[in-house]
Amino acid sequence: MADTGTQGGETLLFLTDEQLRKGIEAMFFAYRGFTADPDRILDKYGYGRAHHRAIHFINRQPGLTVTTLLDVLGVTKQSLNRVLRTMIEDGLVESRVGRKDKRARHLHLTEAGLALERELSEAQRARMRAAYRTAGPQAVAGFRHVLEAMMDPEIRRHYQTMKDGG
Amino acid sequence: MADTGTQGGETLLFLTDEQLRKGIEAMFFAYRGFTADPDRILDKYGYGRAHHRAIHFINRQPGLTVTTLLDVLGVTKQSLNRVLRTMIEDGLVESRVGRKDKRARHLHLTEAGLALERELSEAQRARMRAAYRTAGPQAVAGFRHVLEAMMDPEIRRHYQTMKDGG
DNA sequence: CTTGGAAAGTCAACAAGGCTGACATAAAAT
DNA sequence: ATTTTATGTCAGCCTTGTTGACTTTCCAAG
């Protein structure tokens, strides 16, 4: 392997403005690909990305409260409530009153919600899987490492918390 | 180094659904970080992400036509025209009638436009640079590799074209 | 020279999904 | 008893995406 390591000399080539610009464009274009497949599916059902994000995290952490979800998504409660309400009305999401704290609402996906989650995440994972396969395990490790370093510290907490199935 | 290579056995751990899910969340959270700094700057001037994207690609390829930009950004001309018009009125962007083909409009940043571009891209590159530095050159190569594999083929063309300063 | 069609721009209308502010209710905490 | 927290809701605003219809300009082919 070529030594692109960290010791000396012309070793920081990867930090040139041009390299950084390419990284920025890569993020922009890749994110488009990342959302393309789910967007098409969501469209069929009259939903949008906001619904997808909510579904994703409710599935990830069933029973989480509205406040927790708000925190993870980083939007206002009015904004979240709009998408949550439609999904509850449509029978994709169930909102259960807390046993201990009766103010809290715990969110769960219904069978229909789980079905949509699977359809969405299968499409998204298929693309991710293809990219991973093309790039190889070492690249995947690097990918994750850079993305993690790019997050805001507060957000990184959410990410890592869910690592172990918080 | 631990062998995470491609030969056999438990070697495809990185393709488990759980690993793929983590990659998906990493993209989501990292993209938030990626746009956070420019968003704050844009807000000061009353612009949005759409303006940033236009500025980025006009700077990248000065003199490009509206149609080309439309193609790169993947939005409708009505949508692009709205942000372009405000930036032309505000004196950030200049639209020059083509010499050969007088229908075509060639877009350039003015001094003011270049100044905003610098402000935006410096902020974005600073974050990128920090992430790159933390992760190291090998990780950066992997990062770029996975992102590239994640793009739609048609989009990847744009990306690679601009690699050499199209 | 006429005409077909591409490039660009504009107007109108609409939708998703962000935002703020104000306010209501229930329940927990002090 | 009072304050704080969690949730939900109403109203209104903004950005940025969409479609559809239409005009002007002008290159290029016939």
Side-chain angles (χ1 to χ4, degrees):
Chain A
M1 301 186 187
D3 184 2
T4 45
T6 46
Q7 56 274 52
E10 72 219 319
T11 211
L12 297 172
L13 260 184
F14 74 116
L15 287 173
T16 61
D17 280 7
E18 184 53 25
Q19 286 298 310
L20 294 167
R21 250 180 229 283
K22 287 308 294 179
I24 287 167
E25 284 173 13
M27 275 298 281
F28 172 61
F29 288 128
Y31 201 79
R32 285 245 292 272
F34 174 70
T35 55
D37 303 322
D39 281 354
R40 270 187 290 271
I41 294 166
L42 290 158
D43 217 50
K44 289 194 305 182
Y45 301 98
Y47 294 125
R49 268 183 218 178
H51 301 83
H52 184 188
R53 293 195 280 262
I55 286 175
H56 175 96
F57 289 108
I58 295 171
N59 177 68
R60 194 73 158 125
Q61 203 175 320
L64 87 177
T65 66
V66 171
T67 303
T68 305
L69 185 53
L70 235 31
D71 208 34
V72 171
L73 294 177
V75 297
T76 59
K77 66 175 174 176
Q78 292 91 331
S79 207
L80 175 59
N81 214 261
R82 189 160 36 197
V83 307
L84 227 38
R85 199 190 318 154
T86 71
M87 291 195 297
I88 290 169
E89 283 166 5
D90 294 354
L92 300 184
V93 171
E94 202 185 335
S95 169
R96 300 183 194 155
V97 173
R99 280 190 313 164
K100 280 181 55 181
D101 184 339
K102 291 177 196 161
R103 290 169 306 177
R105 302 304 149 92
H106 298 269
L107 302 170
H108 298 262
L109 294 181
T110 64
E111 266 312 312
L114 285 167
L116 178 53
E117 194 285 327
R118 273 192 295 273
E119 187 177 355
L120 290 167
S121 75
E122 262 164 32
Q124 200 157 37
R125 273 181 286 133
R127 183 183 290 253
M128 204 56 122
R129 192 180 297 114
Y132 274 21
R133 219 190 287 274
T134 300
Q138 201 125 52
V140 168
F143 164 75
R144 290 271 298 271
H145 200 158
V146 173
L147 289 187
E148 197 164 331
M150 214 183 306
M151 298 173 195
D152 276 338
E154 211 185 294
I155 300 300
R156 195 176 306 126
R157 265 191 17 242
H158 289 308
Y159 174 71
Q160 287 170 338
T161 297
M162 267 187 269
K163 223 164 200 164
D164 318 309
Chain B
M1 299 186 188
D3 186 1
T4 45
T6 46
Q7 57 274 51
E10 73 219 320
T11 211
L12 296 175
L13 260 184
F14 73 117
L15 287 174
T16 61
D17 280 6
E18 182 54 24
Q19 287 298 310
L20 294 167
R21 253 179 226 284
K22 287 308 295 179
I24 287 167
E25 285 173 12
M27 274 298 280
F28 172 62
F29 288 130
Y31 201 79
R32 285 246 293 272
F34 174 69
T35 55
D37 304 321
D39 281 354
R40 270 187 289 272
I41 293 166
L42 290 158
D43 217 51
K44 289 194 306 180
Y45 300 99
Y47 294 124
R49 268 184 217 179
H51 301 82
H52 185 189
R53 294 196 279 262
I55 286 175
H56 175 96
F57 288 108
I58 295 172
N59 176 67
R60 193 74 156 126
Q61 204 174 319
L64 87 177
T65 66
V66 171
T67 303
T68 305
L69 185 53
L70 235 33
D71 208 36
V72 171
L73 294 177
V75 298
T76 59
K77 64 176 173 175
Q78 293 90 331
S79 205
L80 174 59
N81 214 261
R82 189 161 34 200
V83 306
L84 228 38
R85 199 190 319 153
T86 69
M87 290 196 296
I88 290 169
E89 283 168 4
D90 295 353
L92 300 184
V93 171
E94 203 186 334
S95 169
R96 300 184 195 155
V97 174
R99 278 192 312 163
K100 282 181 54 179
D101 185 340
K102 290 179 196 159
R103 290 168 304 178
R105 302 304 149 93
H106 298 269
L107 303 169
H108 298 262
L109 294 182
T110 63
E111 267 311 312
L114 286 166
L116 178 55
E117 195 284 329
R118 272 193 296 274
E119 188 177 354
L120 289 167
S121 75
E122 263 163 32
Q124 202 158 34
R125 274 180 285 134
R127 184 183 289 251
M128 204 56 119
R129 192 180 298 117
Y132 275 20
R133 217 192 289 275
T134 299
Q138 202 125 52
V140 167
F143 164 73
R144 289 271 297 272
H145 201 156
V146 173
L147 288 187
E148 197 164 330
M150 215 184 303
M151 298 173 195
D152 277 337
E154 212 186 294
I155 300 300
R156 195 177 303 125
R157 265 192 16 242
H158 289 309
Y159 173 71
Q160 287 168 338
T161 298
M162 267 186 268
K163 223 165 201 166
D164 318 309

mmCIF file of all heavy atoms in Angstrom, chain A residues 80-112:
data_model
loop_
_atom_site.group_PDB
_atom_site.id
_atom_site.type_symbol
_atom_site.label_atom_id
_atom_site.label_comp_id
_atom_site.label_asym_id
_atom_site.label_seq_id
_atom_site.Cartn_x
_atom_site.Cartn_y
_atom_site.Cartn_z
ATOM 1 N N LEU A 80 -42.896 18.672 13.684
ATOM 2 C CA LEU A 80 -42.993 17.230 13.878
ATOM 3 C C LEU A 80 -44.446 16.804 14.026
ATOM 4 O O LEU A 80 -44.872 15.791 13.472
ATOM 5 C CB LEU A 80 -42.201 16.806 15.123
ATOM 6 C CG LEU A 80 -42.339 15.330 15.487
ATOM 7 C CD1 LEU A 80 -41.881 14.417 14.358
ATOM 8 C CD2 LEU A 80 -41.561 15.009 16.763
ATOM 9 N N ASN A 81 -45.197 17.600 14.775
ATOM 10 C CA ASN A 81 -46.577 17.208 15.053
ATOM 11 C C ASN A 81 -47.403 17.072 13.790
ATOM 12 O O ASN A 81 -48.279 16.215 13.714
ATOM 13 C CB ASN A 81 -47.226 18.226 15.991
ATOM 14 C CG ASN A 81 -48.207 17.546 16.920
ATOM 15 O OD1 ASN A 81 -49.399 17.565 16.679
ATOM 16 N ND2 ASN A 81 -47.698 16.860 17.935
ATOM 17 N N ARG A 82 -47.095 17.916 12.830
ATOM 18 C CA ARG A 82 -47.834 17.869 11.570
ATOM 19 C C ARG A 82 -47.704 16.505 10.901
ATOM 20 O O ARG A 82 -48.687 15.899 10.501
ATOM 21 C CB ARG A 82 -47.313 18.973 10.654
ATOM 22 C CG ARG A 82 -48.112 19.180 9.404
ATOM 23 C CD ARG A 82 -47.836 20.558 8.813
ATOM 24 N NE ARG A 82 -46.433 20.952 9.001
ATOM 25 C CZ ARG A 82 -45.983 22.194 8.891
ATOM 26 N NH1 ARG A 82 -46.787 23.170 8.625
ATOM 27 N NH2 ARG A 82 -44.710 22.454 9.067
ATOM 28 N N VAL A 83 -46.459 16.018 10.817
ATOM 29 C CA VAL A 83 -46.263 14.727 10.147
ATOM 30 C C VAL A 83 -46.722 13.574 11.046
ATOM 31 O O VAL A 83 -47.265 12.581 10.579
ATOM 32 C CB VAL A 83 -44.799 14.509 9.718
ATOM 33 C CG1 VAL A 83 -44.299 15.683 8.886
ATOM 34 C CG2 VAL A 83 -43.890 14.252 10.876
ATOM 35 N N LEU A 84 -46.520 13.735 12.356
ATOM 36 C CA LEU A 84 -46.908 12.681 13.283
ATOM 37 C C LEU A 84 -48.424 12.482 13.272
ATOM 38 O O LEU A 84 -48.927 11.355 13.272
ATOM 39 C CB LEU A 84 -46.429 13.082 14.686
ATOM 40 C CG LEU A 84 -45.710 12.040 15.530
ATOM 41 C CD1 LEU A 84 -44.784 11.160 14.727
ATOM 42 C CD2 LEU A 84 -44.968 12.706 16.670
ATOM 43 N N ARG A 85 -49.138 13.594 13.239
ATOM 44 C CA ARG A 85 -50.592 13.529 13.264
ATOM 45 C C ARG A 85 -51.142 12.765 12.057
ATOM 46 O O ARG A 85 -51.996 11.897 12.195
ATOM 47 C CB ARG A 85 -51.168 14.948 13.275
ATOM 48 C CG ARG A 85 -52.604 15.011 13.765
ATOM 49 C CD ARG A 85 -53.195 16.394 13.515
ATOM 50 N NE ARG A 85 -52.222 17.449 13.842
ATOM 51 C CZ ARG A 85 -52.224 18.659 13.300
ATOM 52 N NH1 ARG A 85 -53.134 18.983 12.405
ATOM 53 N NH2 ARG A 85 -51.319 19.554 13.648
ATOM 54 N N THR A 86 -50.596 13.083 10.900
ATOM 55 C CA THR A 86 -51.103 12.389 9.702
ATOM 56 C C THR A 86 -50.798 10.893 9.778
ATOM 57 O O THR A 86 -51.623 10.078 9.397
ATOM 58 C CB THR A 86 -50.490 12.965 8.409
ATOM 59 O OG1 THR A 86 -49.120 12.601 8.330
ATOM 60 C CG2 THR A 86 -50.616 14.467 8.343
ATOM 61 N N MET A 87 -49.627 10.552 10.307
ATOM 62 C CA MET A 87 -49.283 9.132 10.354
ATOM 63 C C MET A 87 -50.093 8.389 11.407
ATOM 64 O O MET A 87 -50.359 7.196 11.258
ATOM 65 C CB MET A 87 -47.784 8.959 10.584
ATOM 66 C CG MET A 87 -46.969 9.409 9.360
ATOM 67 S SD MET A 87 -45.272 8.846 9.364
ATOM 68 C CE MET A 87 -44.650 9.671 10.814
ATOM 69 N N ILE A 88 -50.484 9.095 12.460
ATOM 70 C CA ILE A 88 -51.358 8.483 13.463
ATOM 71 C C ILE A 88 -52.760 8.278 12.867
ATOM 72 O O ILE A 88 -53.347 7.206 13.001
ATOM 73 C CB ILE A 88 -51.403 9.348 14.746
ATOM 74 C CG1 ILE A 88 -50.060 9.278 15.469
ATOM 75 C CG2 ILE A 88 -52.523 8.869 15.668
ATOM 76 C CD1 ILE A 88 -49.900 10.279 16.601
ATOM 77 N N GLU A 89 -53.243 9.328 12.184
ATOM 78 C CA GLU A 89 -54.554 9.225 11.526
ATOM 79 C C GLU A 89 -54.573 8.087 10.496
ATOM 80 O O GLU A 89 -55.567 7.383 10.354
ATOM 81 C CB GLU A 89 -54.908 10.540 10.820
ATOM 82 C CG GLU A 89 -55.374 11.630 11.770
ATOM 83 C CD GLU A 89 -55.402 13.004 11.107
ATOM 84 O OE1 GLU A 89 -55.153 13.088 9.888
ATOM 85 O OE2 GLU A 89 -55.661 13.996 11.826
ATOM 86 N N ASP A 90 -53.461 7.935 9.797
ATOM 87 C CA ASP A 90 -53.376 6.915 8.756
ATOM 88 C C ASP A 90 -53.076 5.522 9.319
ATOM 89 O O ASP A 90 -52.941 4.560 8.563
ATOM 90 C CB ASP A 90 -52.284 7.286 7.735
ATOM 91 C CG ASP A 90 -52.623 8.547 6.955
ATOM 92 O OD1 ASP A 90 -53.745 9.066 7.128
ATOM 93 O OD2 ASP A 90 -51.761 9.018 6.188
ATOM 94 N N GLY A 91 -52.913 5.461 10.632
ATOM 95 C CA GLY A 91 -52.696 4.161 11.262
ATOM 96 C C GLY A 91 -51.314 3.568 11.059
ATOM 97 O O GLY A 91 -51.147 2.349 11.086
ATOM 98 N N LEU A 92 -50.321 4.426 10.893
ATOM 99 C CA LEU A 92 -48.947 3.923 10.776
ATOM 100 C C LEU A 92 -48.215 4.001 12.102
ATOM 101 O O LEU A 92 -47.295 3.238 12.369
ATOM 102 C CB LEU A 92 -48.156 4.739 9.741
ATOM 103 C CG LEU A 92 -48.673 4.766 8.313
ATOM 104 C CD1 LEU A 92 -47.715 5.541 7.425
ATOM 105 C CD2 LEU A 92 -48.852 3.358 7.781
ATOM 106 N N VAL A 93 -48.635 4.971 12.909
ATOM 107 C CA VAL A 93 -47.974 5.225 14.182
ATOM 108 C C VAL A 93 -49.012 5.198 15.290
ATOM 109 O O VAL A 93 -50.142 5.656 15.108
ATOM 110 C CB VAL A 93 -47.262 6.598 14.160
ATOM 111 C CG1 VAL A 93 -46.750 6.979 15.542
ATOM 112 C CG2 VAL A 93 -46.120 6.598 13.147
ATOM 113 N N GLU A 94 -48.600 4.639 16.424
ATOM 114 C CA GLU A 94 -49.471 4.617 17.585
ATOM 115 C C GLU A 94 -48.834 5.452 18.679
ATOM 116 O O GLU A 94 -47.620 5.378 18.897
ATOM 117 C CB GLU A 94 -49.627 3.168 18.053
ATOM 118 C CG GLU A 94 -50.860 2.907 18.868
ATOM 119 C CD GLU A 94 -50.863 1.477 19.396
ATOM 120 O OE1 GLU A 94 -50.202 0.614 18.766
ATOM 121 O OE2 GLU A 94 -51.483 1.228 20.431
ATOM 122 N N SER A 95 -49.650 6.247 19.364
ATOM 123 C CA SER A 95 -49.153 7.117 20.420
ATOM 124 C C SER A 95 -49.750 6.661 21.747
ATOM 125 O O SER A 95 -50.948 6.798 21.964
ATOM 126 C CB SER A 95 -49.569 8.562 20.100
ATOM 127 O OG SER A 95 -49.346 9.404 21.199
ATOM 128 N N ARG A 96 -48.927 6.101 22.607
ATOM 129 C CA ARG A 96 -49.441 5.555 23.871
ATOM 130 C C ARG A 96 -49.083 6.453 25.049
ATOM 131 O O ARG A 96 -47.936 6.869 25.198
ATOM 132 C CB ARG A 96 -48.835 4.169 24.126
ATOM 133 C CG ARG A 96 -49.160 3.152 23.044
ATOM 134 C CD ARG A 96 -48.597 1.789 23.392
ATOM 135 N NE ARG A 96 -48.609 0.912 22.220
ATOM 136 C CZ ARG A 96 -47.789 -0.119 22.045
ATOM 137 N NH1 ARG A 96 -46.888 -0.411 22.991
ATOM 138 N NH2 ARG A 96 -47.848 -0.862 20.949
ATOM 139 N N VAL A 97 -50.058 6.699 25.897
ATOM 140 C CA VAL A 97 -49.832 7.500 27.094
ATOM 141 C C VAL A 97 -48.899 6.745 28.037
ATOM 142 O O VAL A 97 -49.031 5.537 28.234
ATOM 143 C CB VAL A 97 -51.169 7.788 27.797
ATOM 144 C CG1 VAL A 97 -50.947 8.479 29.132
ATOM 145 C CG2 VAL A 97 -52.072 8.641 26.901
ATOM 146 N N GLY A 98 -47.963 7.458 28.614
ATOM 147 C CA GLY A 98 -46.969 6.835 29.496
ATOM 148 C C GLY A 98 -47.597 6.257 30.757
ATOM 149 O O GLY A 98 -48.580 6.798 31.267
ATOM 150 N N ARG A 99 -47.032 5.163 31.261
ATOM 151 C CA ARG A 99 -47.556 4.551 32.477
ATOM 152 C C ARG A 99 -47.116 5.331 33.706
ATOM 153 O O ARG A 99 -47.922 5.703 34.550
ATOM 154 C CB ARG A 99 -47.068 3.102 32.593
ATOM 155 C CG ARG A 99 -47.870 2.135 31.728
ATOM 156 C CD ARG A 99 -47.485 0.709 32.083
ATOM 157 N NE ARG A 99 -46.020 0.557 32.145
ATOM 158 C CZ ARG A 99 -45.396 -0.461 32.721
ATOM 159 N NH1 ARG A 99 -46.096 -1.422 33.295
ATOM 160 N NH2 ARG A 99 -44.081 -0.536 32.725
ATOM 161 N N LYS A 100 -45.824 5.584 33.764
ATOM 162 C CA LYS A 100 -45.309 6.347 34.904
ATOM 163 C C LYS A 100 -45.690 7.823 34.783
ATOM 164 O O LYS A 100 -46.381 8.364 35.625
ATOM 165 C CB LYS A 100 -43.777 6.216 34.986
ATOM 166 C CG LYS A 100 -43.307 4.908 35.619
ATOM 167 C CD LYS A 100 -41.767 4.845 35.683
ATOM 168 C CE LYS A 100 -41.169 6.053 36.401
ATOM 169 N NZ LYS A 100 -39.686 5.987 36.427
ATOM 170 N N ASP A 101 -45.235 8.405 33.684
ATOM 171 C CA ASP A 101 -45.529 9.819 33.435
ATOM 172 C C ASP A 101 -46.613 9.913 32.391
ATOM 173 O O ASP A 101 -46.380 9.667 31.215
ATOM 174 C CB ASP A 101 -44.242 10.517 32.964
ATOM 175 C CG ASP A 101 -44.453 12.011 32.794
ATOM 176 O OD1 ASP A 101 -45.611 12.448 32.653
ATOM 177 O OD2 ASP A 101 -43.458 12.740 32.805
ATOM 178 N N LYS A 102 -47.832 10.260 32.837
ATOM 179 C CA LYS A 102 -48.966 10.247 31.917
ATOM 180 C C LYS A 102 -48.982 11.427 30.955
ATOM 181 O O LYS A 102 -49.861 11.502 30.098
ATOM 182 C CB LYS A 102 -50.282 10.205 32.714
ATOM 183 C CG LYS A 102 -50.500 8.875 33.425
ATOM 184 C CD LYS A 102 -51.773 8.884 34.260
ATOM 185 C CE LYS A 102 -51.767 7.731 35.256
ATOM 186 N NZ LYS A 102 -52.735 7.965 36.382
ATOM 187 N N ARG A 103 -48.019 12.359 31.124
ATOM 188 C CA ARG A 103 -47.936 13.438 30.142
ATOM 189 C C ARG A 103 -47.269 12.933 28.852
ATOM 190 O O ARG A 103 -47.596 13.351 27.769
ATOM 191 C CB ARG A 103 -47.093 14.599 30.696
ATOM 192 C CG ARG A 103 -47.749 15.364 31.804
ATOM 193 C CD ARG A 103 -46.744 16.287 32.434
ATOM 194 N NE ARG A 103 -45.532 15.570 32.864
ATOM 195 C CZ ARG A 103 -44.476 16.153 33.392
ATOM 196 N NH1 ARG A 103 -44.436 17.460 33.544
ATOM 197 N NH2 ARG A 103 -43.440 15.432 33.774
ATOM 198 N N ALA A 104 -46.305 12.049 29.059
ATOM 199 C CA ALA A 104 -45.492 11.595 27.927
ATOM 200 C C ALA A 104 -46.274 10.698 26.975
ATOM 201 O O ALA A 104 -47.109 9.896 27.406
ATOM 202 C CB ALA A 104 -44.267 10.863 28.456
ATOM 203 N N ARG A 105 -45.991 10.848 25.679
ATOM 204 C CA ARG A 105 -46.559 9.959 24.661
ATOM 205 C C ARG A 105 -45.434 9.100 24.089
ATOM 206 O O ARG A 105 -44.425 9.631 23.626
ATOM 207 C CB ARG A 105 -47.199 10.765 23.525
ATOM 208 C CG ARG A 105 -48.281 11.696 23.987
ATOM 209 C CD ARG A 105 -49.376 10.970 24.752
ATOM 210 N NE ARG A 105 -49.974 11.828 25.771
ATOM 211 C CZ ARG A 105 -51.037 12.572 25.564
ATOM 212 N NH1 ARG A 105 -51.630 12.547 24.403
ATOM 213 N NH2 ARG A 105 -51.505 13.353 26.516
ATOM 214 N N HIS A 106 -45.648 7.817 24.150
ATOM 215 C CA HIS A 106 -44.648 6.891 23.620
ATOM 216 C C HIS A 106 -45.071 6.427 22.233
ATOM 217 O O HIS A 106 -46.204 5.981 22.044
ATOM 218 C CB HIS A 106 -44.474 5.709 24.579
ATOM 219 C CG HIS A 106 -43.983 6.122 25.921
ATOM 220 N ND1 HIS A 106 -42.645 6.186 26.239
ATOM 221 C CD2 HIS A 106 -44.644 6.531 27.030
ATOM 222 C CE1 HIS A 106 -42.504 6.604 27.496
ATOM 223 N NE2 HIS A 106 -43.707 6.825 27.993
ATOM 224 N N LEU A 107 -44.146 6.532 21.314
ATOM 225 C CA LEU A 107 -44.473 6.286 19.907
ATOM 226 C C LEU A 107 -44.056 4.885 19.459
ATOM 227 O O LEU A 107 -42.960 4.416 19.780
ATOM 228 C CB LEU A 107 -43.780 7.336 19.036
ATOM 229 C CG LEU A 107 -44.151 8.784 19.394
ATOM 230 C CD1 LEU A 107 -43.255 9.776 18.669
ATOM 231 C CD2 LEU A 107 -45.618 9.055 19.097
ATOM 232 N N HIS A 108 -44.966 4.246 18.733
ATOM 233 C CA HIS A 108 -44.708 2.909 18.182
ATOM 234 C C HIS A 108 -45.203 2.857 16.743
ATOM 235 O O HIS A 108 -46.156 3.546 16.389
ATOM 236 C CB HIS A 108 -45.459 1.847 19.000
ATOM 237 C CG HIS A 108 -45.031 1.780 20.424
ATOM 238 N ND1 HIS A 108 -44.125 0.861 20.900
ATOM 239 C CD2 HIS A 108 -45.391 2.538 21.496
ATOM 240 C CE1 HIS A 108 -43.949 1.048 22.198
ATOM 241 N NE2 HIS A 108 -44.694 2.060 22.589
ATOM 242 N N LEU A 109 -44.577 2.001 15.953
ATOM 243 C CA LEU A 109 -45.090 1.745 14.613
ATOM 244 C C LEU A 109 -46.117 0.632 14.687
ATOM 245 O O LEU A 109 -45.932 -0.350 15.408
ATOM 246 C CB LEU A 109 -43.952 1.331 13.671
ATOM 247 C CG LEU A 109 -42.898 2.394 13.370
ATOM 248 C CD1 LEU A 109 -41.854 1.850 12.402
ATOM 249 C CD2 LEU A 109 -43.520 3.669 12.831
ATOM 250 N N THR A 110 -47.207 0.784 13.952
ATOM 251 C CA THR A 110 -48.182 -0.295 13.822
ATOM 252 C C THR A 110 -47.652 -1.288 12.780
ATOM 253 O O THR A 110 -46.596 -1.086 12.200
ATOM 254 C CB THR A 110 -49.525 0.254 13.325
ATOM 255 O OG1 THR A 110 -49.325 0.790 12.017
ATOM 256 C CG2 THR A 110 -50.050 1.333 14.240
ATOM 257 N N GLU A 111 -48.420 -2.325 12.523
ATOM 258 C CA GLU A 111 -48.019 -3.275 11.477
ATOM 259 C C GLU A 111 -47.837 -2.558 10.138
ATOM 260 O O GLU A 111 -46.855 -2.787 9.435
ATOM 261 C CB GLU A 111 -49.070 -4.380 11.321
ATOM 262 C CG GLU A 111 -48.769 -5.626 12.137
ATOM 263 C CD GLU A 111 -47.325 -6.118 11.977
ATOM 264 O OE1 GLU A 111 -46.859 -6.229 10.825
ATOM 265 O OE2 GLU A 111 -46.657 -6.382 12.991
ATOM 266 N N ALA A 112 -48.791 -1.688 9.830
ATOM 267 C CA ALA A 112 -48.695 -0.932 8.571
ATOM 268 C C ALA A 112 -47.457 -0.037 8.569
ATOM 269 O O ALA A 112 -46.770 0.101 7.549
ATOM 270 C CB ALA A 112 -49.952 -0.094 8.369
#
